[in-house]
Amino acid sequence: VQLQASGGGMVQAGGSLRLSCKASGTIFAIATMSWYRQTPGKQRELVATTKNDGTTSYSDSVKGRFTISSNNAKTTVYLQMDSLKPEDTAVYFCYSILKTDWESMLRGYWGQGTQVTVSS
């Protein structure tokens, strides 16, 4: 299983970016797809999650500014980031909990990070 993230970049405060993360490989079912972010010296922080039932959740720091969504097959997750602030600067990682076949346990997989830099 591979998670390929893309869409990071540099933007001024108040601007927008859209991150994408595509899951590929042998996937039987995806339970959740999430975005985390991390800055140097800090723990990875959960930003947003979408579940296979369509429900979504957000950290308080991004609620109302970020929107998580996925394609119909639930294999690609997006993070629309609006009204960006300098404190949103971080490396963003996608994370998925999924099963690779009907007998397997649910397991978490990380994608590579994508840098988001917001200048003031």
Side-chain angles (χ1 to χ4, degrees), residues 11-115:
V11 65
Q12 288 190 327
S16 299
L17 282 173
R18 189 189 195 211
L19 306 182
S20 299
C21 177
K22 179 176 174 59
S24 61
T26 305
I27 298 171
F28 176 74
I30 294 176
T32 68
M33 293 192 82
S34 301
W35 287 97
Y36 285 74
R37 65 187 182 187
Q38 188 171 27
T39 54
K42 292 190 176 181
Q43 285 191 328
R44 206 164 284 190
E45 170 195 20
L46 176 60
V47 174
T49 296
T50 181
K51 298 182 179 180
N52 61 1
D53 63 0
T55 58
T56 58
S57 60
Y58 299 90
S59 67
D60 288 342
S61 61
V62 307
K63 200 172 294 183
R65 300 186 298 120
F66 290 10
T67 304
I68 190 169
S69 62
S70 61
N71 64 348
N72 288 338
K74 309 293 185 187
T75 54
T76 300
V77 65
Y78 306 97
L79 186 67
Q80 178 66 40
M81 304 185 294
D82 298 318
S83 303
L84 281 161
K85 304 175 181 180
E87 51 263 44
D88 294 317
T89 296
V91 178
Y92 284 70
F93 297 87
C94 57
Y95 177 74
S96 181
I97 298 176
L98 57 87
K99 300 178 68 169
T100 54
D101 61 70
W102 72 277
E103 290 183 305
S104 69
M105 302 286 287
L106 286 168
R107 180 186 160 186
Y109 294 82
W110 288 99
Q112 92 288 3
T114 185
Q115 177 71 47

